[in-house]
Amino acid sequence: PCWNGDTSDAAVLSHGNRPTHGLPSSSSSASRLDVHWVVEDPESGIRGYQWALGLTPGGDQLVPFTAVGQQTTVSATGLWLAHNDHVFATVVASNYAGLDTKWTSESVVVDLTPPIVVALYDTTSSIDPHPVGSYVTQGSPYGVFASFDDPESGIEKCEVSVSALTGVLSTVVRPFEVLSASGAAVFPSLTSTTGKKLVSVVRCRNSAGLFHTAASTGVTIVPVQTAADFQLRLVTPASTSHSRNASIQSDLHELAVAWDLDILGVAYLELLVASAALSVPYTVQLEPVTSATTNMSLTDGAIYNVSLRAVYEDGVASQPATLQVIVDTMPPTLSSVASSNLAASWGVGDSSLQIHWTSMFQHPTQALRYELSVGTFPGTGNLFQWVSTAEESLTLPITKAQTGSGFYVAVTAIAETGLSATFSSSVLSA
């Protein structure tokens, strides 16, 4: 007899004019096995077949040799097979010329377990599919890496789909598609909306037809913080009771900054301080915090450029927020003729007092502001106390009758660092 033909999803054994025997390469059933074959004998024709099923090549431990006439499909039921058993089918074909031919199939592996998960995680790259944390940044790629194994019958096919979770609602955004042999898949245009969570579902089938379905932990899409979002600011404590400018300090021993931060998805922060006064920039990597103090020696008169950026779990870095800090330890100075620069005059009807202190104080680099106190006793401000102004003159609602025989004026000049100088007059009369 001459054997010819094939069956779909079958392991084929063919040796020249010997039969083609169709049998699955694996089975997920411990109790049933189906066998099919196709035979040709153009000279005398096929008279009949015998078949057997065993645990060894040519063996009949499971089904003894049984005549089935010209039937070419048989089933063995009521078997007691164990996981990972190897089963062999044997067929004997006889033609009308009295000639017999015997063939044994390749082994059929009994696989009663589905594929197992070796690795399954969210990623952002199909080239280097490393795991990411719980967050990816808006606009970044999103994908999955999956590795399944089936040592008995092998993996036939894996498929992947992606769902988006918003609150309790789940929407399939990518239906199941075949996962490449690399195990990695990246999907564009899925991370445009912040706040939603993406989860990949992977299902794999082994050659025995068993499935295993598993889901990744998923990632939440977060926005990348902008430079303006940080609100980077100088918070080095002022060295005096006076407030200082937002970017100038007099402290030479530390530089403290603070910022606003939405920590979702942030892996760490990078802080850099650069200056012509530093041979090497000061750099430090920080946990997702909202302030930092650099313990570094600062140079009087130097300018320090502070830069801060966030690095997210998926490796994306934000644009840096920047801040320029000036260090200046010089307080305002009094002119050599300060007393002659202080003058006072009464307004119309002696109902207001105009005080002038033009060019009384000096500072080479900083703008000055002033606080003025007026009293009828030395060192007091019982008429007016600590009145603020940016000008070198001030008009106060003081009448001549309130001052009696005279009055005293104290003018404090305050630099942008908070450092100050004060001039207190002797008794004045306008």
Side-chain angles (χ1 to χ4, degrees):
C2 177
W3 297 73
N4 194 353
D6 193 2
T7 57
S8 60
D9 299 324
V12 177
L13 179 65
S14 181
H15 301 287
N17 287 333
R18 307 175 76 180
T20 296
H21 185 143
L23 194 65
S25 61
S26 58
S27 173
S28 62
S29 174
S31 61
R32 179 186 177 97
L33 190 65
D34 299 322
V35 182
H36 173 71
W37 59 90
V38 177
V39 178
E40 288 183 359
D41 193 308
E43 293 80 19
S44 63
I46 300 298
R47 185 181 64 192
Y49 306 99
Q50 298 179 67
W51 86 290
L53 200 63
L55 297 175
T56 58
D60 62 352
Q61 298 92 339
L62 301 174
V63 176
F65 278 96
T66 304
V68 292
Q70 294 189 340
Q71 188 176 340
T72 58
T73 299
V74 295
S75 297
T77 59
L79 302 175
W80 291 83
L81 300 175
H83 178 67
N84 208 29
D85 273 350
H86 288 246
V87 180
F88 300 83
T90 301
V91 175
V92 177
S94 302
N95 64 13
Y96 284 101
L99 300 175
D100 296 335
T101 308
K102 180 180 179 180
W103 294 271
T104 297
S105 71
E106 305 255 347
S107 67
V108 177
V109 178
V110 178
D111 190 351
L112 304 180
T113 59
I116 58 174
V117 180
V118 177
L120 177 60
Y121 52 78
D122 304 288
T123 187
T124 57
S125 172
S126 59
I127 299 174
D128 178 23
H130 56 276
V132 296
S134 301
Y135 302 91
V136 295
T137 51
Q138 185 177 17
S140 292
Y142 168 73
V144 68
F145 175 79
S147 175
F148 283 70
D149 189 26
D150 194 294
E152 295 81 18
S153 62
I155 300 296
E156 185 176 275
K157 182 174 68 172
C158 288
E159 298 174 306
V160 59
S161 74
V162 181
S163 294
L165 281 65
T166 305
V168 296
L169 299 178
S170 177
T171 305
V172 175
V173 293
R174 294 282 296 218
F176 276 107
E177 58 189 77
V178 175
L179 186 63
S180 69
S182 69
V186 170
F187 311 100
S189 307
L190 293 186
T191 60
S192 58
T193 304
T194 60
K196 71 179 180 182
K197 185 175 184 177
L198 297 175
V199 177
S200 290
V201 177
V202 179
R203 65 184 182 193
C204 288
R205 184 177 69 187
N206 63 14
S207 297
L210 298 177
F211 284 89
H212 187 147
T213 301
S216 68
T217 55
V219 295
T220 300
I221 304 167
V222 294
V224 178
Q225 188 139 324
T226 67
D229 291 335
F230 281 103
Q231 295 291 303
L232 183 62
R233 54 197 179 272
L234 183 67
V235 294
T236 305
S239 55
T240 72
S241 59
H242 300 291
S243 62
R244 54 160 179 73
N245 180 286
S247 61
I248 300 177
Q249 69 174 55
S250 58
D251 195 314
L252 294 175
H253 304 292
E254 67 177 31
L255 190 156
V257 289
W259 54 88
D260 298 333
L261 178 67
D262 183 352
I263 66 171
L264 284 180
V266 177
Y268 59 90
L269 300 168
E270 292 179 338
L271 180 68
L272 181 144
V273 181
S275 173
L278 297 173
S279 57
V280 178
Y282 175 95
T283 59
V284 63
Q285 183 172 301
L286 304 168
E287 295 294 321
V289 294
T290 55
S291 64
T293 299
T294 64
N295 296 314
M296 55 190 296
S297 296
L298 305 174
T299 301
D300 192 11
I303 297 175
Y304 294 85
N305 296 300
V306 182
S307 174
L308 176 74
R309 71 174 187 172
V311 179
Y312 289 81
E313 291 180 4
D314 60 1
V316 171
S318 71
Q319 289 296 313
T322 59
L323 173 69
Q324 190 176 82
V325 178
I326 300 171
V327 177
D328 193 340
T329 62
M330 179 179 290
T333 57
L334 281 165
S335 70
S336 57
V337 288
S339 59
S340 64
N341 293 91
L342 182 64
S345 60
W346 292 108
V348 177
D350 295 339
S351 61
S352 62
L353 181 62
Q354 299 170 346
I355 303 173
H356 306 267
W357 57 94
T358 306
S359 300
M360 177 181 286
F361 298 94
Q362 300 170 350
H363 197 287
T365 59
Q366 298 179 35
L368 300 177
R369 67 184 192 275
Y370 305 94
E371 288 182 353
L372 187 70
S373 295
V374 180
T376 55
F377 301 97
T380 67
N382 60 316
L383 296 179
F384 276 94
Q385 189 174 43
W386 301 330
V387 181
S388 296
T389 179
E391 307 299 327
E392 293 183 319
S393 64
L394 192 65
T395 298
L396 297 173
I398 299 175
T399 65
K400 193 170 187 178
Q402 289 177 283
T403 63
S405 58
F407 53 89
Y408 298 84
V409 175
V411 182
T412 299
I414 306 166
E416 293 177 88
T417 55
L419 299 177
S420 63
T422 300
F423 177 81
S424 298
S425 74
S426 56
V427 64
L428 294 176
S429 60

